[in-house]
Amino acid sequence: DAGITQSPRHKVTETGTPVTLRCHQTENHRYMYWYRQDPGHGLRLIHYSYGVKDTDKGEVSDGYSVSRSKTEDFLLTLESATSSQTSVYFCAISDQGGGTEAFFGQGTRLTVV
Amino acid sequence: GENVGLHLPTLSVQEGDNSIINCAYSNSASDYFIWYKQESGKGPQFIIDIRSNMDKRQGQRVTVLLNKTVKHLSLQIAATQPGDSAVYFCAETNGTYKYIFGTGTRLKVLA
């Protein structure tokens, strides 16, 4: 399995609180992605990174921010969590972006109450 | 995750039979396609991929077929086993950094 670790694996938080999810890779892959997975929607891209300090928005980026200060770590922050952000979040990595397969972490189940 | 399969089409197959899972992709410019398997509570796992210059690619017990004319992708699993029970979905890319994922099909293997 690709070396991808997501933390925490589960989190319950209250509406309005900030939350940061971490993705750590040991593969030295250039591209990193954050997705959310909800019933009926499949995987939707929140943000992605194509290098250190190089990030861009995905299709559902509102309410989320990201940072990548080093190759191995990609952080996803919910500045003020809302119930609509209750979801399962997956981090993915890819060596060459869309030209090769993406490998996924085990996911973080986030519940906003 | 556990909530992935709630609203998905389901394919039920007898153990030992072959399974065929289909996917219609959206972009005629897509040139790379991937099949993933997702078991309950786990992240998607790469199964097999195919590039647009190919029509067929085989792996261990799996075959992917690509029909660019009708923008259709299929995954064939030979001699389906209980461990094959999962959600399967396709992904497409068109040379950009992004992947577009289908919503998936749930495969149930009947003993």
Side-chain angles (χ1 to χ4, degrees), chain B residues 22-89:
Chain B
N22 297 305
C23 175
Y25 64 91
S26 58
N27 189 347
S28 57
S30 292
D31 58 4
Y32 178 61
F33 305 88
I34 311 165
W35 277 102
Y36 286 93
K37 172 186 180 182
Q38 187 174 22
E39 297 174 280
S40 181
K42 296 184 178 181
Q45 179 184 5
F46 170 84
I47 302 173
I48 191 169
D49 58 0
I50 189 169
R51 298 197 182 275
S52 59
N53 60 352
M54 301 174 69
D55 297 323
K56 179 180 179 179
R57 188 158 190 235
Q58 288 184 295
Q60 185 177 10
R61 277 203 311 119
V62 294
T63 301
V64 55
L65 300 178
L66 175 62
N67 185 331
K68 295 180 286 293
T69 302
V70 294
K71 293 191 290 185
H72 184 267
L73 197 65
S74 68
L75 176 71
Q76 300 178 0
I77 304 174
T80 311
Q81 303 170 358
D84 295 327
S85 292
V87 173
Y88 292 81
F89 54 89

Side-chain angles (χ1 to χ4, degrees), chain A residues 9 31 33 35 37 39-43 45 48 50 57 88 90 94 97-106 109, chain B residues 1-4 6-7 32 34 36 38 41-46 49 51 89 93 95-99 101-103:
Chain A
R9 291 293 315 278
Y31 300 93
Y33 306 81
Y35 293 92
Q37 188 174 46
H41 291 280
L43 287 160
L45 181 64
Y48 67 100
Y50 47 97
K57 296 179 179 180
V88 180
F90 287 101
S94 174
T100 56
E101 65 269 34
F103 297 99
F104 286 83
Q106 291 299 296
R109 178 173 292 278
Chain B
E2 289 85 354
N3 62 345
V4 169
L6 287 179
H7 306 291
Y32 178 61
I34 311 165
Y36 286 93
Q38 187 174 22
K42 296 184 178 181
Q45 179 184 5
F46 170 84
D49 58 0
R51 298 197 182 275
F89 54 89
T93 74
T96 68
Y97 307 129
K98 301 179 184 178
Y99 302 81
F101 295 92
T103 52

